[in-house]
Amino acid sequence: MQDTRQIFSVRDLTRYIKDAFDFDEVLQNVWVRGELSNFVHHSRGHMYFTVKDEECKIKGVMFAGNNRYLKFIPKNGTRVLIRGSVSVYERDGQYQLYAKEMQPDGIGSLYMAFEQLKEKLEKEGLFDERNKKAIPRYPSRIGVITSPTGAAVRDIITTIRRRYPVANVLLYPVAVQGEHAAPSISRAINEMNERQDVDVLIVGRGGGSIEELWAFNEEAVARSISCSRIPVISAVGHETDYTIADFVADVRAATPTAAAELAVPHIQELHHRIDVLSGRVATSLRHQVKRLRERLERLQRSYVLRQPERHVMQYEQELDRLQQRLVRATEQYRIQKQARWKEMHRHLLQYNPTATIQRERERLHNRQERLERAMRMLVKEREQKLDRQIGKLDALSPLKVMKRGYSLVFKEAEGKQNLVTAVGQTAVGEKVAVRLADGALICRVEETQKGDING
């Protein structure tokens, strides 16, 4: 039995399915509504995402060549309408949506782009009121950046010439709608700032749809206005139209005509103000002249001008009085200085070396006399004490005792004479020496008797 089955490789089957998708007219141009998730903006510019609803989801891709024209930045959770084709990504065998257009679902893409750029620039501080520049009150030259053929330029020039014909208008023609409008407007603002003779700029155009006004919502225009050295008045569309340029500009005008009115004062009002100020100056001058004239009359009637010599006499008298005070003060000053000099002289004499030496000599002489007197007294006292001691010694002298009949007995032993004070110290027959007051007796002991010989 012959096998009739057709067996595909995975690759062939995938290509078969892909061809079925690619040749389907409906799948090559479909609109899909859903919510974005898993959104990734690749560094090469391609966008990868998933579009889902309550029940299903499909992967999608939007290549850089298609997404570069998006007016808004897609993100997770954004509900969108996508136009594109459905095909198979062969490597994964998965079908996916290849987006060619994308727009927010429910609101326009331009509106979303407007809100996104507004939020971004506001966070950067481009709308901060503290950075707004004041419009000069009396500009000499007004730069107007708008279309040279629109009604706006006519309204602006007519209004300026009517209100303030002394000012010059410098028109910089630009494209105000279309692909080249934003670069044209941005370049005009930058070149106007290179000039030194423009006092204020009016940037705008007449009314139109959001697409026609879109150049004034471009980031390049907003940043040029923000960097402008010259104050900028935005005048875009009608009163109800708001653009990013209106938020960044130093002043927003509801219409181009209103911008011209904000840029210059009304010359009739200036004439009226000049008249009022002239009247105030004239009145002030009259009052000043009157006051000065009255003062002059008072001076003419014054005592000084009528009898100046008497006024001089008063000063002469005052001069005499001051001279007397000066003489007294001078004399008092001299006396004080003289007393001070004497005091200083006396102090100096105290420290004179000759006087000091004389005083020290007198002090030394006195001390020498006192010292000699003390020494004499001390010598005399010591001599008296010595005499008393000699008297005492003389009274106790053995010679004195011997003169009264007493004698001393000595015996000689070993070459020395020893005083005999007891009977036992001698022996019978022993030679002794008896010393008297006027000499000595050499005797020999005949007998010894111990005890009281008187008794």
Side-chain angles (χ1 to χ4, degrees):
M1 183 175 176
Q2 186 176 359
D3 188 356
T4 58
R5 292 181 298 176
Q6 184 177 3
I7 300 176
F8 293 91
S9 65
V10 176
R11 175 184 177 185
D12 291 339
L13 179 59
T14 303
R15 285 193 172 179
Y16 182 84
I17 296 172
K18 182 176 187 310
D19 289 341
F21 275 80
D22 292 343
F23 286 105
D24 188 296
E25 293 184 358
V26 174
L27 294 180
Q28 295 310 302
N29 189 21
V30 295
W31 282 92
V32 178
R33 170 181 283 125
E35 180 181 313
L36 294 179
S37 63
N38 301 322
F39 180 83
V40 175
H41 196 171
H42 196 273
S43 59
R44 295 181 59 213
H46 307 322
M47 294 178 176
Y48 298 94
F49 51 85
T50 299
V51 185
K52 65 180 182 179
D53 56 18
E54 292 77 5
E55 298 179 353
C56 299
K57 61 183 178 181
I58 180 174
K59 287 192 173 180
V61 58
M62 191 172 195
F63 293 115
N66 294 318
N67 67 42
R68 70 180 57 175
Y69 300 109
L70 288 178
K71 298 295 186 184
F72 71 104
I73 301 173
K75 57 184 180 181
N76 290 328
T78 304
R79 294 191 62 81
V80 293
L81 285 173
I82 300 174
R83 186 185 69 83
S85 61
V86 179
S87 184
V88 174
Y89 183 43
E90 292 182 54
R91 193 198 69 175
D92 295 342
Q94 188 175 34
Y95 76 92
Q96 63 183 13
L97 178 63
Y98 292 83
K100 297 177 181 176
E101 294 181 26
M102 184 186 297
Q103 59 184 256
D105 185 20
I107 59 174
S109 60
L110 293 180
Y111 178 76
M112 177 169 283
F114 173 86
E115 290 296 331
Q116 288 178 343
L117 181 60
K118 180 184 174 187
E119 181 181 358
K120 174 185 175 183
L121 299 183
E122 187 171 17
K123 289 181 179 177
E124 293 183 17
L126 267 68
F127 304 162
D128 196 332
E129 289 295 327
R130 292 174 296 185
N131 298 328
K132 304 290 186 183
K133 294 177 284 292
I135 305 300
R137 297 183 64 180
Y138 308 109
S140 299
R141 176 162 292 176
I142 300 102
V144 178
I145 299 174
T146 188
S147 170
T149 58
V153 66
R154 186 174 59 251
D155 294 342
I156 291 171
I157 294 175
T158 302
T159 303
I160 291 175
R161 287 178 177 171
R162 173 174 53 81
R163 289 175 56 88
Y164 198 62
V166 296
N168 296 319
V169 177
L170 179 63
L171 174 63
Y172 194 114
V174 294
V176 292
Q177 73 181 67
E179 183 179 355
H180 303 292
S184 175
I185 297 169
S186 179
R187 183 170 56 254
I189 296 171
N190 296 337
E191 291 185 3
M192 279 288 194
N193 272 274
E194 294 176 358
R195 301 176 63 102
Q196 301 298 323
D197 57 350
V198 178
D199 298 315
V200 62
L201 288 179
I202 297 176
V203 181
R205 56 154 291 162
S209 64
I210 186 172
E211 291 81 4
E212 292 171 335
L213 302 180
W214 189 251
F216 296 91
N217 288 322
E218 294 284 358
E219 185 172 352
V221 174
R223 295 200 179 278
S224 293
I225 293 175
S226 176
C227 295
S228 175
R229 171 185 56 81
I230 306 170
V232 176
I233 301 174
S234 67
V236 183
H238 301 300
E239 186 170 359
T240 56
D241 297 325
Y242 273 88
T243 64
I244 296 297
D246 293 327
F247 293 107
V248 182
D250 298 294
V251 174
R252 185 245 176 190
T255 63
T257 301
E261 294 175 346
L262 290 171
V264 297
H266 199 298
I267 197 165
Q268 294 299 327
E269 294 176 354
L270 294 179
H271 285 158
H272 176 69
R273 182 171 177 76
I274 290 172
D275 292 341
V276 172
L277 293 176
S278 297
R280 290 180 180 176
V281 171
T283 303
S284 177
L285 286 176
R286 283 196 298 272
H287 289 164
Q288 184 78 359
V289 169
K290 181 181 179 182
R291 188 169 61 255
L292 293 174
R293 181 178 289 114
E294 291 174 352
R295 183 181 178 188
L296 178 60
E297 291 174 356
R298 286 197 303 273
L299 291 173
Q300 288 175 340
R301 294 193 302 268
S302 67
Y303 170 78
V304 174
L305 293 180
R306 286 188 292 108
Q307 294 180 329
E309 67 283 357
R310 298 188 63 179
H311 189 67
V312 173
M313 290 174 63
Q314 290 186 357
Y315 282 106
E316 287 284 349
Q317 187 176 355
E318 179 66 14
L319 178 60
D320 292 342
R321 189 181 66 81
L322 292 176
Q323 281 183 336
Q324 291 176 356
R325 288 180 57 186
L326 178 60
V327 170
R328 287 197 299 273
T330 304
E331 180 62 16
Q332 186 176 5
Y333 180 77
R334 187 188 64 77
I335 294 172
Q336 291 176 350
K337 288 299 178 183
Q338 190 174 25
R340 177 65 178 164
W341 179 84
K342 290 181 179 179
E343 182 67 17
M344 294 295 293
H345 183 68
R346 186 177 63 79
H347 281 288
L348 287 174
L349 288 179
Q350 289 180 352
Y351 295 101
N352 188 306
T354 304
T356 303
I357 292 172
Q358 182 62 30
R359 285 197 301 275
E360 293 301 326
R361 281 178 176 172
E362 292 176 357
R363 186 179 301 172
L364 178 62
H365 179 70
N366 293 335
R367 288 184 177 180
Q368 282 180 341
E369 288 184 346
R370 288 165 57 189
L371 179 59
E372 290 174 357
R373 214 169 28 248
M375 289 179 64
R376 284 193 297 272
M377 291 178 65
L378 180 61
V379 170
K380 185 177 180 180
E381 182 182 349
R382 294 298 172 90
E383 285 177 349
Q384 292 174 353
K385 184 176 181 180
L386 181 60
D387 291 341
R388 290 195 298 272
Q389 294 294 337
I390 291 173
K392 290 180 180 179
L393 287 175
D394 188 56
L396 297 176
S397 173
L399 295 176
K400 289 283 185 179
V401 175
M402 286 187 296
K403 282 182 178 181
R404 290 198 301 268
Y406 294 95
S407 61
L408 296 174
V409 180
F410 296 90
K411 74 175 182 179
E412 186 170 353
E414 296 178 356
K416 295 192 299 183
Q417 289 186 343
N418 297 322
L419 180 65
V420 178
T421 59
V423 176
Q425 291 179 340
T426 61
V428 177
E430 189 175 12
K431 190 172 67 176
V432 297
V434 179
R435 183 168 291 176
L436 303 175
D438 57 349
L441 299 177
I442 302 300
C443 302
R444 190 171 299 275
V445 179
E446 296 290 341
E447 183 180 0
T448 61
Q449 296 179 356
K450 195 173 182 178
D452 187 2
I453 62 175
N454 294 322

